[in-house]
Amino acid sequence: MPSIIVNAMKVEQPIGEFFFGKMKAKDLLEISYADVRRLEKEERDVEKYLGIQRPLKKNRVKDINSYINTVDATFPNSIILSIDEENVFWNDGELSIEYSDESKGNIAKILDGQHRLAGFDSNNITFIDYEGIEKDFEVLITIFVNTDMALQAKVFSMVNQNQTKVNKSLVFDLESLATSRSPWKTCHSIAAYLNDKKNTPFYHRIKRLGVKAYEHEIEPLTQAAFVDNLVKLITPNAQVDRNIILGKDKGFLGFSSKTLPHMDTDSLNKFVFRKAFSDDEDETILKVVLSFFSAVESVWPDAWRKDQTSSILNKTVGLISMFRLLNFILSSLLIDKKLDLKYQINKEDFAELLKSTNVSGGYFLTLDATSKTSVSVFNHLKEKVKFK
């Protein structure tokens, strides 16, 4: 009979006894399953709800899968499981999970952590350490034995109800502590600079941690919105870029010869700040962003005023449309060879292009702040801008 040996400890809490230990991700994948909440009909068409888990979110699994492939991936919190007592044997600090070949995929019910576990596949259940040695990716596990559905539901509810989602602006702000470069760190630094320096269009305009920082100031934009949309002008995958740079900085074998992807001409024209980022020229990105939004402020001053609450330029949808317009302008100039990757373009150049649209500031005061608005504003300006 197959078995998995787990180095574990027994824990006693008011809810009862459970075990805490570690297991190879590949072993847990083989024996675990998620009991998704569902409605089933029994005899005589009696309906009954079964299961406790939420359905998997494919995009979240995809993001976790990408994260697991990074050089510093970690899951320091445990995956919580429920296993029947007939499959668990405890002997002085060693826990053995035994099962038959026929039942191995139906042994450990996941009470919490199904998305983390679903992020693993045959390509990332092992990893290469900095010395080039392949090792099994291990995960922490908490095992409840022989728990009924009521207790399983209580554990699931307790863990998930008490979790507070981390503010994305705070996550980006913490990038400043990273020792290696990344698209997120670059864009955070630019956001912080523009927000802190007087005489910039974004002075005290960005909520650095997603909350108001200055008692008597109006901060209509979040740091997360600024960073997210500037990153899109640098890379199609910030995680991949960060992983390559971090791997090279830490001297991981296999990374010394790696270079950033998407450095072909088409990509450099599409992600207009990619070359500057690749060349470690964050100041160049800052100067162009500052020049463009200074032009926006000068061409549409009333709509840009941060106390102009009816203007979509003071909202995320307006910020998105302006970043898209900046990318379109730079991309068009690069493709037409009217600009090279040294980005010799200033505020006056941008202002001339914005004025060529013949769009007045009042236009931005008449729109509703919906997700569709950012697309319609961008398309409207894109069609009207005239290049010499």
Side-chain angles (χ1 to χ4, degrees):
M1 179 176 288
S3 65
I4 298 171
I5 304 299
V6 180
N7 292 323
M9 63 179 70
K10 183 184 288 187
V11 180
E12 294 186 2
Q13 293 182 358
I15 198 171
E17 292 182 348
F18 56 88
F19 299 94
F20 179 76
K22 67 174 184 177
M23 183 184 294
K24 295 175 183 178
K26 65 180 181 181
D27 289 338
L28 185 53
L29 279 171
E30 287 189 351
I31 67 169
S32 63
Y33 68 100
D35 193 15
V36 177
R37 189 72 169 161
R38 62 200 182 278
L39 178 64
E40 289 189 359
K41 286 187 177 182
E42 297 182 335
E43 293 181 6
R44 299 181 182 178
D45 287 335
V46 175
E47 294 182 338
K48 183 177 182 181
Y49 281 98
L50 302 172
I52 60 173
Q53 277 283 5
R54 297 161 291 188
L56 279 175
K57 295 181 179 179
K58 293 181 180 179
N59 286 340
R60 188 178 175 194
V61 172
K62 182 179 178 181
D63 289 342
I64 292 174
N65 178 270
S66 177
Y67 168 73
I68 294 173
N69 285 289
T70 61
V71 297
D72 58 345
T74 180
F75 293 123
N77 50 338
S78 68
I79 294 173
I80 303 175
L81 310 168
S82 175
I83 303 179
D84 291 339
E85 62 180 347
E86 64 190 52
N87 299 110
V88 177
F89 299 89
W90 171 252
N91 183 20
D92 195 24
E94 184 177 272
L95 186 144
S96 176
I97 303 173
E98 299 184 2
Y99 53 92
S100 64
D101 287 328
E102 293 77 18
S103 64
K104 70 177 181 179
N106 196 38
I107 298 299
K109 181 190 292 186
I110 303 170
L111 303 186
D112 185 69
Q114 64 162 338
H115 284 89
R116 269 171 284 159
L117 191 56
F120 286 96
D121 57 32
S122 59
N123 296 316
N124 60 20
I125 54 176
T126 63
F127 65 96
I128 306 298
D129 71 6
Y130 71 97
E131 294 179 334
I133 300 173
E134 184 176 12
K135 294 182 177 180
D136 288 301
F137 199 125
E138 297 177 327
V139 292
L140 298 174
I141 56 171
T142 296
I143 299 176
F144 287 86
V145 179
N146 214 39
T147 54
D148 58 26
M149 282 296 295
L151 185 58
Q152 293 174 29
K154 181 178 178 62
V155 171
F156 173 83
S157 299
M158 177 270 300
V159 170
N160 288 280
Q161 182 176 345
N162 293 330
Q163 287 181 348
T164 301
K165 188 175 181 180
V166 178
N167 186 293
K168 199 171 183 180
S169 290
L170 173 59
V171 172
F172 287 143
D173 206 70
L174 294 176
E175 279 291 318
S176 64
L177 303 177
T179 56
S180 292
R181 298 180 70 245
S182 75
W184 294 309
K185 183 176 182 180
T186 289
C187 296
H188 156 73
S189 299
I190 291 172
Y193 178 90
L194 293 174
N195 187 64
D196 295 342
K197 293 294 182 180
K198 289 184 177 180
N199 302 319
T200 77
F202 289 100
Y203 179 62
H204 286 189
R205 198 182 186 95
I206 301 172
K207 297 176 185 177
R208 282 283 303 277
L209 303 178
V211 295
K212 189 174 181 179
Y214 307 99
E215 184 177 352
H216 301 295
E217 292 279 356
I218 299 172
E219 298 160 317
L221 303 171
T222 66
Q223 182 172 346
F226 187 99
V227 172
D228 268 337
N229 287 283
L230 182 52
V231 164
K232 292 175 182 177
L233 277 62
I234 294 176
T235 178
N237 194 323
Q239 189 72 274
V240 169
D241 291 352
R242 175 189 177 276
N243 197 48
I244 291 173
I245 295 170
L246 182 61
K248 291 171 76 72
D249 286 352
K250 287 183 172 290
F252 276 59
L253 291 179
F255 278 84
S256 59
S257 61
K258 281 194 174 185
T259 58
L260 292 180
H262 308 291
M263 295 301 295
D264 57 282
T265 300
D266 287 344
S267 294
L268 296 181
N269 289 338
K270 182 177 181 181
F271 304 101
V272 293
F273 290 138
R274 187 142 190 81
K275 184 65 164 59
F277 175 79
S278 175
D279 292 344
D280 199 5
E281 294 179 355
D282 293 354
E283 186 176 348
T284 297
I285 302 174
L286 168 61
K287 287 180 178 178
V288 177
V289 171
L290 176 56
S291 294
F292 175 76
F293 281 97
S294 294
V296 172
E297 181 181 36
S298 68
V299 174
W300 300 304
D302 187 57
W304 183 257
R305 279 187 11 246
K306 62 183 178 181
D307 61 346
Q308 180 60 271
T309 56
S310 59
S311 173
I312 60 109
L313 290 184
N314 283 324
K315 299 177 175 62
T316 298
V317 293
L319 185 72
I320 293 172
S321 62
M322 289 301 108
F323 268 120
R324 291 187 67 186
L325 183 62
L326 171 59
N327 194 72
F328 168 73
I329 289 173
L330 294 179
S331 179
S332 298
L333 293 173
L334 288 169
I335 291 171
D336 292 341
K337 310 294 185 185
K338 296 177 181 178
L339 184 71
D340 60 27
L341 289 168
K342 294 181 180 179
Y343 309 98
Q344 299 298 319
I345 184 169
N346 55 34
K347 170 186 172 181
E348 289 70 27
D349 297 325
F350 281 125
E352 186 176 350
L353 289 168
L354 296 180
K355 289 176 182 177
S356 75
T357 64
N358 290 319
V359 171
S360 69
Y363 167 73
F364 301 103
L365 310 181
T366 62
L367 304 168
D368 294 327
T370 65
S371 57
K372 292 182 179 179
T373 300
S374 65
V375 177
S376 63
V377 169
F378 165 66
N379 287 333
H380 182 65
L381 296 173
K382 171 185 172 183
E383 293 171 1
K384 288 182 171 293
V385 67
K386 297 177 179 65
F387 296 95
K388 288 185 177 180

